Amino acid sequence: MRILVISVTRSRKGQPVRAERIVEGEMIRLGRGTQCEIHLPDPRVALFHAAIYRQGDSIFIHAPEAELAVDGGPEREARLTPRVHIALGPYEMTVEPPPSGCDLALAIELVRPLPDDLAEIRAKSRTSLEETALSKRGPAWMLAIVLGIVFLLAPALNAVLPLLRQATVKLPVTPDQSWNPGQLSAGHQAFGRQCGSCHETPFVHVRDHVCIDCHVKTPGHVQTVGLQTKLFGGTRCANCHADHKGADALVRRDPDLCVTCHGDLKYFKADTTLNNATDFAVNHPPFKLTLWKGPNRADVMRVSQTEKSKLVEQSHLKFPHDLHLKTSVRGPKGRKTLECRSCHIPDASGKGFEPISMNKSCLECHTLEFEPAVTTRQVPHGSVDNVMLTMQEFYANIALNNIPVDVVDIGEIQRGLPRLGNGVITEEQRQRALTWAKFKAQQVSADLFEARVCIVCHEVTKAVIRGESGKEIAWGVVPVFVASTWMPKARFDHVKHRTNKCADCHSVEKSHSSADIAIPDIVKCRECHAGNKPAANKVVSTCVACHGFHLPNHPPFTVRGSMALDAPAGAALPVIGKLQ
Ligand code: HEC
Ligand code: HEC
Ligand code: HEC
Ligand code: HEC
Ligand code: HEC
Ligand code: HEC
Ligand code: HEC
Ligand code: HEC
Ligand code: HEC
Ligand code: HEC
């Protein structure tokens, strides 16, 4: 006997799922026991509940101890013909027409399963979305719309409607906050809520002129024009000042900013005389010093530190460092040892030094007495006219008053002075006295300028002119120019190097002439400054460490000049220089 047993289960949607198998045997037992060929595991079924057997052509089911419900009525035995329904405990069996090769087809389904308590409690305690009035689709749409309004529509409207913008700017959170890609720089936070101050047109890159409108005084660099500049981003403000990077990160400091152009300068400015520079450590031209050539203050020349023979300072001031840096220098109050600081007084910022001052630094030892007999009177320093006037007043005072206040012994000086007598001085006598005073001043000045005092430090000039008393000599002092900035195209800060000895960088101890120059060269700097890449015991120094971009004496950028208005936003500047 071959029976096709079809186990019917239900899918979650209630659809029947049928699993078929063949059972063979003379007698087929049904029950909870494991010996049964058709195993019905439900506990309400007996261990051996019923058996199917053949009798002649017919097939019967027989339940020896239990009951069967055959088509609704209780029976102990029934004949299995198609469409007969038999309830066996919680199972329902339906006889189906057997397929060929089988004697019987029996579909069995557990129609009354035991309730699973835990599952039942769980199911009761959960309210599914379906049980409420809501559906999943509704909230999803609502969320999408809210997101669209908050993050798309509101900022967009805010950007295009000026009236809305004016109203919302007072709110604690403006609609376009959600588009803010990052904190603005400290300087810009004050007006940063008005995105439109920089982003004039929504979805268009920030244009140079909005920056220039506010930063009118910021000097430019060099205006490069043409396709090259356009292609490589050139001087577009946002290339180097990409905002939204935090409070103190407005200026990019990587060398690429500069190397884009300075790696191949001729490409950007065909007539340049500058050499390329890509990395301070390996590819940077020797420094050029700015030397005064006169006659005007602004007349300077630039001399490379490699051209040693041309490195001559013409300050027109005589000064031997060596004699003053000896261990004990003669002074009026005894010997003393001078330090650099005695003459080079740091300026307020500490970056450089106050200009050398005769009155502050030299006068103490180099006094300006003019009359050998009188050591308490000096001429003022700084103006030839004042020197002459002071001397004339001094001698006129002696002549007219006969008793100069601050003079100890006047006998020597008064030789040649006409006797004026006591009492009222006539006009004629007065004139004679003054003429004498002038003569005396002229006489002394030759000694003062040419022999003893001024000539020690200055180049003195002498011209013969016609004066009131015949031929007179007009003295002059060649204008002095003591340089304070030797490297105007870079910046050097003495404060940052204060741990070093002055002599490390300036070998002035052996210098006997002010024509000598003791400004350190690039070799010296490279002892401590690495270039773009780190090196042992050196400080990494990219271009911006020593150079600004907005150079003094360069006209501010104009909108027309910054060619790269339409360059891609934030496009990294490509490096075209040859890095060695
Ligand atoms: C001080 C000027 C300034 C202000 C104010 C400002 N931004 Fe920007 N923003 C910039 C600059 C510069 C860039 C760099 C973009 C470029 O290269 O063109 C930028 C870039 C962006 C970008 C990225 C787009 C891009 O091109 O990469 C977004 C978005 C943006 N800003 C949104 C805002 C929002 C929103 C506000 C107002 C809360 C705002 N910005 C205020 C200057 C500003
Ligand atoms: C509404 C006027 C305004 C606009 C527009 C503006 N700035 Fe400014 N910027 C300021 C003010 C104000 C400061 C802070 C004061 C200061 O440091 O000079 C500042 C500071 C800066 C600083 C820092 C100065 C420092 O010493 O730290 C830089 C760099 C700068 N702005 C560049 C730009 C660039 C680039 C743009 C165009 C994207 C721009 N600014 C647009 C007003 C403006
Ligand atoms: C090639 C890079 C570069 C470009 C392009 C550039 N800057 Fe600068 N900018 C700098 C650097 C570097 C500094 C910092 C200089 C320093 O540290 O002394 C700076 C500083 C500033 C400062 C601070 C004040 C000052 O004078 O030092 C302002 C303002 C400024 N830039 C505005 C602008 C504006 C406006 C534009 C566009 C017309 C612009 N910058 C284009 C590199 C650039
Ligand atoms: C758009 C191209 C370009 C960029 C970017 C650029 N420069 Fe220049 N730079 C030039 C040109 C061109 C010259 C002038 C050459 C000449 O006049 O012969 C120059 C000149 C100079 C000079 C000499 C200035 C003078 O007065 O003689 C210095 C220093 C300098 N650049 C430093 C820098 C630094 C530092 C940066 C980066 C922050 C930089 N440059 C970025 C093109 C550029
Ligand atoms: C008695 C005053 C005095 C003392 C002390 C002195 N200097 Fe000077 N120094 C001067 C004067 C004056 C000049 C300008 C001379 C000129 O025209 O070159 C000068 C110029 C310089 C210069 C620029 C010109 C050059 O030669 O390169 C340097 C650098 C310098 N001094 C370094 C030093 C150092 C370092 C010391 C200490 C070791 C020192 N000085 C001590 C008076 C002094
Ligand atoms: C502490 C005193 C002292 C101070 C301060 C001083 N000098 Fe002198 N100076 C001397 C003495 C002493 C001599 C003579 C040295 C010698 O001949 O050995 C001298 C010599 C000179 C000479 C002539 C050198 C020669 O070749 O004959 C010059 C020029 C000079 N000083 C300039 C200056 C200047 C400029 C300053 C101020 C920046 C200055 N001195 C400050 C003491 C001083
Ligand atoms: C010990 C050296 C020393 C002596 C002596 C000296 N000077 Fe000077 N003189 C200087 C120095 C240093 C400066 C520049 C710094 C200053 O002005 O204080 C200077 C500057 C001057 C200037 C200004 C030059 C200019 O271009 O601004 C005049 C004028 C001048 N001296 C005249 C005289 C006369 C006149 C005498 C003689 C009576 C004299 N000096 C004596 C050191 C000296
Ligand atoms: C690390 C090297 C270094 C050290 C250390 C150093 N200097 Fe300088 N000094 C320089 C350079 C570079 C310059 C040229 C700067 C310029 O002109 O822009 C200079 C310029 C000067 C000048 C001429 C410019 C001016 O402001 O008058 C004097 C003077 C000077 N230094 C004195 C000193 C004294 C004094 C010390 C010690 C307290 C000292 N330096 C330490 C590198 C150095
Ligand atoms: C003995 C070592 C030494 C020598 C030589 C030296 N430096 Fe420096 N320099 C330093 C150190 C260390 C710092 C960093 C100081 C700091 O960051 O506070 C520095 C800082 C600087 C800075 C400031 C950088 C910044 O980011 O603010 C400049 C500019 C500079 N040096 C230029 C020069 C130049 C130009 C020379 C050659 C004339 C030179 N230095 C020679 C050690 C040196
Ligand atoms: C450690 C400091 C330092 C660093 C880093 C540095 N430079 Fe210089 N650079 C100088 C000094 C100092 C000068 C001489 C300045 C002068 O003569 O006025 C100079 C001169 C120049 C000059 C020539 C100016 C002229 O007219 O001769 C250019 C161009 C230049 N540097 C570009 C660069 C570039 C680009 C970088 C980055 C790759 C860079 N520098 C890095 C200190 C430095």
Side-chain angles (χ1 to χ4, degrees), residues 183-199:
Q183 191 191 17
L184 284 169
S185 58
H188 290 155
Q189 278 170 13
F191 60 91
R193 293 160 57 80
Q194 281 140 310
C195 312
S197 5
C198 295
H199 298 281

Side-chain angles (χ1 to χ4, degrees), residues 233-550:
T235 55
R236 199 175 87 94
C237 311
N239 279 346
C240 303
H241 303 291
D243 219 317
H244 300 289
K245 306 266 185 221
D248 56 356
L250 189 55
V251 185
R252 278 176 57 195
R253 302 212 164 257
D254 46 311
D256 288 4
L257 301 179
C258 320
V259 174
T260 313
C261 294
H262 283 273
D264 190 356
L265 213 51
K266 288 236 182 318
Y267 184 70
F268 290 89
K269 195 164 185 288
D271 61 343
T272 185
T273 55
L274 297 185
N275 289 318
N276 290 340
T278 53
D279 186 332
F280 186 71
V282 288
N283 182 16
H284 186 288
F287 300 158
K288 285 183 196 150
L289 296 185
T290 299
L291 303 180
W292 185 54
K293 64 170 191 227
N296 297 315
R297 293 247 132 199
D299 298 339
V300 292
M301 55 183 174
R302 307 261 301 151
V303 181
S304 169
Q305 281 185 309
T306 51
E307 300 177 77
K308 301 266 186 241
S309 61
K310 290 196 193 164
L311 286 177
V312 178
E313 194 195 356
Q314 292 174 293
S315 62
H316 300 302
L317 176 74
K318 297 178 197 163
F319 181 74
H321 270 96
D322 59 350
L323 297 182
H324 293 87
L325 290 170
K326 288 187 303 193
T327 35
S328 66
V329 181
R330 220 179 335 107
K333 292 179 209 123
R335 294 187 168 263
K336 69 187 272 191
T337 302
L338 295 172
E339 290 174 3
C340 310
R341 211 182 308 130
S342 317
C343 303
H344 299 295
I345 304 155
D347 63 16
S349 69
K351 285 185 180 174
F353 299 89
E354 282 177 7
I356 289 286
S357 156
M358 159 67 178
N359 289 345
K360 277 193 207 153
S361 305
C362 322
L363 198 58
E364 171 193 352
C365 302
H366 295 272
T367 51
L368 300 181
E369 292 140 22
F370 55 93
E371 173 49 64
V374 185
T375 52
T376 46
R377 277 303 292 263
Q378 298 190 24
V379 285
H381 178 255
S383 150
V384 175
D385 289 348
N386 285 349
V387 168
M388 295 307 287
L389 264 173
T390 308
M391 290 193 296
Q392 281 169 24
E393 272 171 20
F394 174 82
Y395 290 113
N397 199 23
I398 291 175
L400 294 172
N401 299 335
N402 235 345
I403 19 160
V405 249
D406 53 351
V407 170
V408 192
D409 173 15
I410 59 163
E412 170 81 6
I413 303 170
Q414 277 181 320
R415 212 173 295 142
L417 177 67
R419 288 227 75 84
L420 297 175
N422 297 331
V424 184
I425 305 168
T426 65
E427 180 57 26
E428 196 249 319
Q429 280 176 321
R430 210 176 74 88
Q431 282 302 331
R432 265 199 291 144
L434 288 178
T435 312
W436 173 84
K438 271 200 170 168
F439 167 77
K440 193 72 192 160
Q442 274 275 327
Q443 209 184 23
V444 172
S445 67
D447 185 45
L448 180 82
F449 280 95
E450 229 177 350
R452 233 173 13 89
V453 181
C454 310
I455 193 79
V456 173
C457 302
H458 286 285
E459 291 167 24
V460 173
T461 59
K462 181 175 167 182
V464 181
I465 53 161
R466 287 207 69 78
E468 295 156 33
S469 54
K471 276 189 189 169
E472 278 180 16
I473 295 177
W475 301 100
V477 163
V478 178
V480 172
F481 185 91
V482 179
S484 62
T485 312
W486 299 78
M487 298 170 168
K489 317 263 185 219
R491 52 186 159 204
F492 180 82
D493 188 340
H494 277 91
V495 172
K496 302 237 171 182
H497 298 90
R498 71 185 147 210
T499 49
N500 301 107
K501 289 202 202 77
C502 310
D504 284 355
C505 290
H506 302 292
S507 47
V508 287
E509 271 91 349
K510 298 218 167 61
S511 158
H512 189 64
S513 159
S514 68
D516 296 346
I517 294 175
I519 302 295
D521 60 8
I522 191 165
V523 180
K524 185 79 213 174
C525 311
R526 281 175 176 162
E527 284 175 14
C528 306
H529 287 272
N532 305 339
K533 292 183 214 82
N537 300 325
K538 295 189 185 183
V539 260
V540 172
S541 315
T542 61
C543 316
V544 185
C546 302
H547 294 282
F549 176 73
H550 304 276

